[in-house]
Amino acid sequence: MNIISIPIPCGLRLVIARHAAQPRMLELAARLAALGSLRVLDGGNQFNPLPVARILRSLTLQLEPALAGIRISRAFTCYQALALLEQETLPNRPVLVLDLLSTFYDESVPLPEARRLLGFCLKHLRRLAAAAPVVVSARPPKPVCADRAPLLEDLRAACSLVFEEGDEAEVDSLPSKSNPHLAPSV
C-alpha cells in the first residue's frame, strides 16, 4: 500500500508521527522538488537542506535548480505560523507544512487562544489545499502538555486523509515501497 504517492492530488493530508515524521517529510520534499517547485512552511525547525540535497542528487542531475525551487519559511510562534499561512497566495505547487503544532504546544499561549489561532490556520490550509496538494506533519503532544491534545484532534478533523505512525512504522513517501504498519485513519 502506498502511503503518499507522487504525484499527490489536491487536498489536505496529515501525517502524525514521532518527530513529526521528519526524515520521511524531508524525503517527500526532495521527491517533490525533483518534479518542480515546492513550498515548505516549517513550524518546528524541522527542515534540513542537507538530506534533501542528498536525496535530490540521486534523483536529478539538475540539483541546483531543484534546490532553488524550494521556498522555505519558518515559524517560531503560533502567531507567526498563522501569519505565514495568511500571506501564502494560492500555490501552483505542492505545500509541505512541517511539525505544524510544535508552536501551538507552547504553554505560554493559553489553550483557548492556541485553538482559536489553529482554527484560522486550518481555514488557510483548506484554502491552499483546494488549489494544490498540502501535506501537514504533526506529532502528538508530550505527556507534560497532554492538555494540548485537542489541538491535534482539531487538525485531524480538518484533514481529508490522516496517516498515523505505528510504534515501529514510518511514513513511506516512496511510490515503489509499502508500509503495512501505517494505514490511513478515517
Side-chain angles (χ1 to χ4, degrees):
M1 168 176 60
N2 292 331
I3 299 306
I4 299 177
S5 59
I6 297 173
I8 303 171
C10 291
L12 183 55
R13 289 156 185 77
L14 172 62
V15 178
I16 303 170
R18 293 180 310 259
H19 312 293
Q22 183 199 28
R24 294 301 187 187
M25 291 297 285
L26 294 179
E27 184 178 352
L28 180 58
R31 293 196 170 279
L32 291 170
L35 298 173
S37 64
L38 170 68
R39 180 72 168 107
V40 176
L41 302 172
D42 189 354
N45 203 20
Q46 297 270 321
F47 192 83
N48 183 348
L50 188 58
V52 173
R54 283 188 191 131
I55 296 166
L56 265 171
R57 191 174 292 121
S58 70
L59 298 173
T60 180
L61 297 175
Q62 304 297 318
L63 179 63
E64 289 180 25
L67 285 172
I70 302 173
R71 187 171 152 226
I72 306 163
S73 297
R74 286 193 164 92
F76 297 98
T77 69
C78 53
Y79 297 98
Q80 290 175 343
L82 175 57
L84 289 175
L85 288 167
E86 284 175 337
Q87 295 168 5
E88 188 62 34
T89 59
L90 290 179
N92 58 353
R93 58 187 167 222
V95 177
L96 296 183
V97 183
L98 306 178
D99 202 3
L100 173 66
L101 296 180
S102 175
T103 59
F104 291 86
Y105 290 155
D106 179 357
E107 292 183 346
S108 68
V109 178
L111 182 58
E113 174 71 355
R115 286 187 85 180
R116 184 183 73 80
L117 294 170
L118 180 60
F120 290 129
C121 288
L122 295 175
K123 286 180 185 176
H124 290 292
L125 287 170
R126 284 189 290 265
R127 172 182 57 85
L128 295 171
V134 177
V135 180
V136 177
S137 72
R139 58 182 167 77
K142 295 179 181 176
V144 294
C145 59
D147 65 321
R148 299 282 162 154
L151 295 167
L152 183 59
E153 294 312 311
D154 291 349
L155 178 57
R156 179 192 310 266
C159 295
S160 57
L161 276 175
V162 178
F163 302 100
E164 289 193 64
E165 177 185 53
D167 290 340
E168 66 276 335
E170 286 189 22
V171 173
D172 188 351
S173 61
L174 296 173
S176 61
K177 293 185 180 178
S178 64
N179 187 338
H181 302 287
L182 191 65
S185 54
V186 180

